[in-house]
């Protein structure tokens, strides 16, 4: 009887860790936000989402195109259907057809302000049950 209880408890824990208990619209804390020059620049972590899934960071950049991406820490339950809401210097940046967030920088050298939120979206592209 005890081993059956342990099996049920382990299955429940596995479902919770796999993200099955996460609902659309919920924030994802602890996600690293990477910024890298496109193409070929080495991405660096510029921020990590807080418990509300929000982040903000100033990054020093030079002229060119930049890509923003996300990654979760090892052994962290991070659902594949995460969505990034991103603004750069107050302007929204949407993903391209490949899901890559790109933005241009026209000046020779300066800083940009990245802000946003990482949250769960369901597989139909709805947040909190509302179609996007």
């Amino acid at each position: 009887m005890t081993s059956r209880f342990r099996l049920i408890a382990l299955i429940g824990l596995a479902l919770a860790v796999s993200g099955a208990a996460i609902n659309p619209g919920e924030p994802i804390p602890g996600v690293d936000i990477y910024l890298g020059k496109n193409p070929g620049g080495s991405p660096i972590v510029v921020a990590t989402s807080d418990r509300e899934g929000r982040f903000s960071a100033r990054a020093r950049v030079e002229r060119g195109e930049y890509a923003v991406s996300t990654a979760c820490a090892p052994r962290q339950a991070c659902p594949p259907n995460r969505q990034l809401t991103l603004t750069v210097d107050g302007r929204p940046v949407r993903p391209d057809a490949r899901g890559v967030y790109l933005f241009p920088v026209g000046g020779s050298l300066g800083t940009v302000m990245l802000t946003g939120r990482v949250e769960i979206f369901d597989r139909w592209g709805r947040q909190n049950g509302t179609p996007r």
Side-chain angles (χ1 to χ4, degrees):
M1 192 71 145
T2 304
S3 63
R4 186 173 183 184
F5 174 75
R6 285 185 191 155
L7 178 61
I8 291 170
L10 287 173
I11 291 171
L13 178 62
L15 288 174
V17 170
S18 72
I22 298 176
N23 297 315
E26 284 190 20
I28 308 174
V31 175
D32 289 334
I33 312 303
Y34 287 87
L35 174 67
K37 196 158 184 186
N38 187 47
S42 297
I44 59 166
V45 175
V46 293
T48 301
S49 62
D50 65 15
R51 52 183 246 178
E52 295 299 319
R54 298 190 187 288
F55 64 89
S56 65
R58 286 196 190 282
R60 196 156 172 80
V61 294
E62 59 186 27
R63 176 185 300 237
E65 184 175 57
Y66 287 82
V68 176
S69 60
T70 61
C72 295
R75 295 187 298 270
Q76 176 184 339
C78 192
N81 57 335
R82 62 187 178 268
Q83 176 69 36
L84 174 65
T85 303
L86 175 67
T87 62
V88 176
D89 291 336
R91 285 175 261 141
V93 176
R94 308 244 186 270
D96 66 10
R98 299 169 297 152
V100 178
Y101 293 81
L102 298 171
F103 66 93
V105 173
S108 60
L109 183 65
T111 60
V112 292
M113 183 67 177
L114 304 167
T115 58
R117 185 168 193 253
V118 184
E119 59 194 0
I120 301 294
F121 273 75
D122 69 17
R123 62 185 148 178
W124 296 282
R126 296 177 298 193
Q127 175 189 11
N128 291 326
T130 306
R132 288 186 28 208

